[in-house]
Amino acid sequence: MNLPWLKSYTQNLKKDNLHHSLIISGREGLGKNYLAEGLIQGILCTNSKDLEPCGKCQSCKLYESDNHPDFHKIDLEDGRKSISINQIRAFYLEMFESPFLGGNKIFFIPRSNLLSRESYDALLKTLEEPPKNTFIILINSDSQNLPATILSRCHEINIKKPQDEELKSWLEKQEVNIDSLDQLIDLSKGKPLRALELEQTKSIELRSEFIADISSLIKQGNNISEITDKWIKNEESLLLQIEWMSDLLMDILRMRFYEDEKNIFSDTANISTYMEDKIEPIEVFKLLDKTINLWNKFYKNNNLRQDYHLQSLLVDWNSAIGLRS
Ligand SMILES: [Zn+2]
C-alpha cells in the first residue's frame, strides 16, 4: 500500500550514517508498521545505497518471503503477557554472530510496550553499543510509556497525522464512498488506516444506528433490552459502540472544561450538547469510568454475561441523562 504521508520521515535518512537504534512512534492507524517494514528492507537490501529497497536482490527476496536469516523479530511468546528478559538475553547472544549474508543485521521489536521492566534494563546495554552493522528497531504506540533511558539512546521517528487534504486525497484513491469521506475522517480522528478500516467494516452504517439507539435511550429509555440484544450480536461492533459511548462523554467534558467545540464529533454534536446541558460533570466522570471499565472487561474476557453487563450500563446512562424523571 502506498502511504504518501510517511515519505517525509525517511527521505532525509542516510544508510551510511543511520542511527543504530531506532524507535518508530505514533498513534495506531498512522502506519508505523508499514514504515518499519520499508525501513528494514531498505537497511537489509544489498543493492541500494539509500534506504529505498531495490526489491530484486537476494536480500530483498528473502525478506519479502519472510525468510531473511539476518532479520530477527522479538515478539510475545505463546501464553506470555510480556516479552521476557530471557528473550532479550537470547537476542543479545545472536547479535554477536556474523551476519549470514555478510550485510546488515536487524533486531525488530514491533510491540516494545510489551517489554517487561527487566527486559528494558537488559535492552539498554544493547542499545548503547550494538555490534557493527547491527540495527535495533522498536515500535511504540505511546512513547510517553518508554523509559527516558531508552529514548535517549535511540533516534525517534514520531509519525504525526497527515493534513486533512492529504488524508482526503489518499482516501479517495482507496475508493472509499465519497459521501462518507468527511464522516470517516471525523470518526477516525484523522488516522488514515483507521479511516480505511472503518470503511471496510461498514462502520458508517453502524454509526447511524448507534446515534439512533443512543438518542432513543436518552429520550425514551424503554428500548434498553432491545439495544442490548442487538449490540451483543457482534463482538467487534459491540466494542466499537462502547468506545463511541465514551467518546460522547469525552466530548461533554471537552465542551464543559475546555470550551473546545471544534474537536467534538460533529455527527453526535446534538446529543453531546444536549447531555452537556443536562448532566453534572461529576456524573459524566462516573459514567465515563463505568463505560471505559466495561470496554476493558469485554476486551479482555469473552466469558462475561455480556447482556447483563451492557444492560446495566445502559440503565445507568438512562437514569443519569434520561428525560424521565
Ligand atoms: Zn534489494
Side-chain angles (χ1 to χ4, degrees), residues 256-311:
R256 175 65 64 96
F257 294 112
Y258 304 103
E259 291 175 14
D260 178 8
E261 321 251 316
K262 213 172 66 224
N263 285 313
I264 69 166
F265 288 101
S266 46
D267 60 356
T268 47
N270 283 342
I271 304 178
S272 48
T273 310
Y274 168 79
M275 283 168 71
E276 201 255 334
D277 187 47
K278 183 98 181 150
I279 175 173
E280 289 300 319
I282 182 77
E283 293 297 328
V284 182
F285 282 114
K286 279 187 199 160
L287 279 186
L288 187 59
D289 193 43
K290 282 179 190 159
T291 309
I292 292 174
N293 261 328
L294 190 64
W295 189 92
N296 279 321
K297 266 190 200 155
F298 283 173
Y299 182 70
K300 285 180 191 148
N301 186 350
N302 299 320
N303 302 322
L304 286 174
R305 281 279 311 275
Q306 289 185 331
D307 53 346
Y308 167 79
H309 287 281
L310 179 61
Q311 190 149 354

